[in-house]
Each structure stands twice: as structure tokens, then as C-alpha cells.
Amino acid sequence: MESTKIDLSTKTEAEDGKVYFSYEDIHSAVESMVPSLAEFKPTVIIAIGGGGFIPARILRTQLKVPILAISLELYDDETNTTREQVKCLQWFNTSAGPGALVDGGNVLIVDEVDDTRTTLQYCVEELLRKCKPAKVGVVVVHNKLKEKRGTLPENVEYFAGQDVPDKWNCYPWDAAAYGRDIQGHEAISRKCSS
């Protein structure tokens, strides 16, 4: 399938200093990784909720593998601050269904952004502690160009749809969190693209 990739490197900040990404931006960035991810031959996707859910669903259509959902929190929504440690709210069951594909399988962990890498490190460490996958890959829509607090093992493959500056990213699924409806969010995203 041929895609028209949007050059996200031209995104500029909105008046509030944040960068707004549209659903089209996200879809294009995710789709750009599909050929490399197909070569990885994943057997299952682990979506880190909430930001990894939509990118994982886009990948599921292209790669035709099941999705497992986990919920990890690094940011405290009540205080708008970063926690000292990642909080695990939900993990998956490996005894049946798609969870049984993890041991011995090629696992892709999907999130929307690699900011500090703390959440990704936690997820990979938990996965390797609890399971025995053959291969692990980490997929992010956006990799922020900055020094990372967390690290990933050398044998973990890393895929990023787009490298972006270290700015506050606003994603369409979080429009309400920024006091906007989706139409308002998409309008600001278009302004960030011009």
C-alpha cells in the first residue's frame, strides 16, 4: 500500500507553546514503520495505555496480529507532574488467548511517545521478568530528541515513526484534556503544520 507521508519535522508550536498532532499525522507516522515492523515478524502487540492504544490498533490492521493491553502511569493527571516511579495499573494474563503468544514470540511494545524512556524501560523489564519472548521490539510514534532517563537492553529493537523536538505534544485522543473538542484540536494541528 502506498502512503503519502507527512513531513512532521515542519510542525511548529501553537500559541500555547505545545505541538498538536492530528490523526492523519499519527496514522502517517505509524504507517511509515510498517515495512520494518513486518520484517520483525511480530506475533503479538502490547499496547501501553492510554497513548499506545490507537497506534497499536493501526498496526494491528497492517500486521494482522493480536493486541494485549496494559496500563502504566508515569504522569500524575491530578498534579500534572511526573511520578518518581512507573505505576502498573493493569498487566496481561499469559495462560490463555493472545497472552499465551508472548512466551517464545516476537513481541512489539507500542506507545505514543518516547519522552524520558522510563515507561518503556519499565515495560520491557516487567515483560522480561514475567515472560520469555524470543524477541522484543519497542515502537513509538514520536521519539523526543533529548537525553533519556531510562534505558533499553541492547537486544531490544527500537522503531520510531518520527523524531521530534522536546516540546509538549498534544495528541487527538487527549483533546478533551486540553479543553478542546476534536474539531478544535484538528484545527490547531493544521495551524502547527503551516
Side-chain angles (χ1 to χ4, degrees):
M1 176 184 295
E2 198 172 309
S3 68
T4 54
K5 189 173 180 187
I6 296 172
D7 182 8
L8 301 179
S9 63
T10 61
K11 282 282 196 182
T12 58
E13 293 176 34
E15 290 178 14
D16 62 5
K18 298 172 180 158
V19 179
Y20 288 75
F21 291 95
S22 70
Y23 276 114
E24 184 178 2
D25 295 334
I26 302 308
H27 199 98
S28 295
V30 170
E31 203 168 66
S32 74
M33 294 182 280
V34 168
S36 297
L37 297 174
E39 288 179 18
F40 181 83
K41 295 183 178 22
T43 50
V44 67
I45 294 169
I46 297 175
I48 299 176
F53 290 161
I54 291 172
R57 181 59 187 92
I58 295 168
L59 286 173
R60 189 223 170 278
T61 298
Q62 300 284 334
L63 301 173
K64 311 262 188 282
V65 297
I67 299 172
L68 296 167
I70 63 171
S71 184
L72 305 176
E73 279 186 359
L74 180 60
Y75 299 100
D76 186 330
D77 289 335
E78 291 180 22
T79 62
N80 287 325
T81 59
T82 303
R83 299 177 196 277
E84 287 297 314
Q85 296 181 345
V86 175
K87 184 176 178 182
C88 182
L89 303 174
Q90 173 186 316
W91 198 256
F92 58 89
N93 181 344
T94 59
S95 64
L101 299 172
V102 173
D103 283 331
N106 296 343
V107 178
L108 284 178
I109 297 168
V110 179
D111 208 357
E112 86 274 41
V113 64
D114 182 0
D115 187 348
T116 64
R117 197 164 284 164
T118 307
T119 303
L120 295 170
Q121 176 183 335
Y122 177 90
C123 185
V124 169
E125 287 174 351
E126 282 297 290
L127 177 67
L128 296 175
R129 186 174 68 78
K130 295 178 177 184
C131 306
K132 304 225 178 315
K135 289 194 322 187
V136 177
V138 168
V139 179
V140 295
V141 178
H142 296 127
N143 170 44
K144 285 192 181 181
L145 297 174
K146 63 187 266 185
E147 189 172 328
K148 309 295 185 185
R149 218 170 67 195
T151 59
L152 298 173
E154 286 185 27
N155 62 339
V156 170
E157 294 187 47
Y158 184 85
F159 306 89
Q162 185 74 40
D163 290 333
V164 297
D166 183 19
K167 303 289 181 184
W168 189 275
N169 293 347
C170 297
Y171 294 99
W173 48 84
D174 287 330
Y178 301 108
R180 294 183 169 70
D181 60 18
I182 191 60
Q183 293 80 12
H185 176 95
E186 294 288 305
I188 294 172
S189 174
R190 284 189 295 277
K191 287 181 183 175
C192 289
S193 295
S194 47

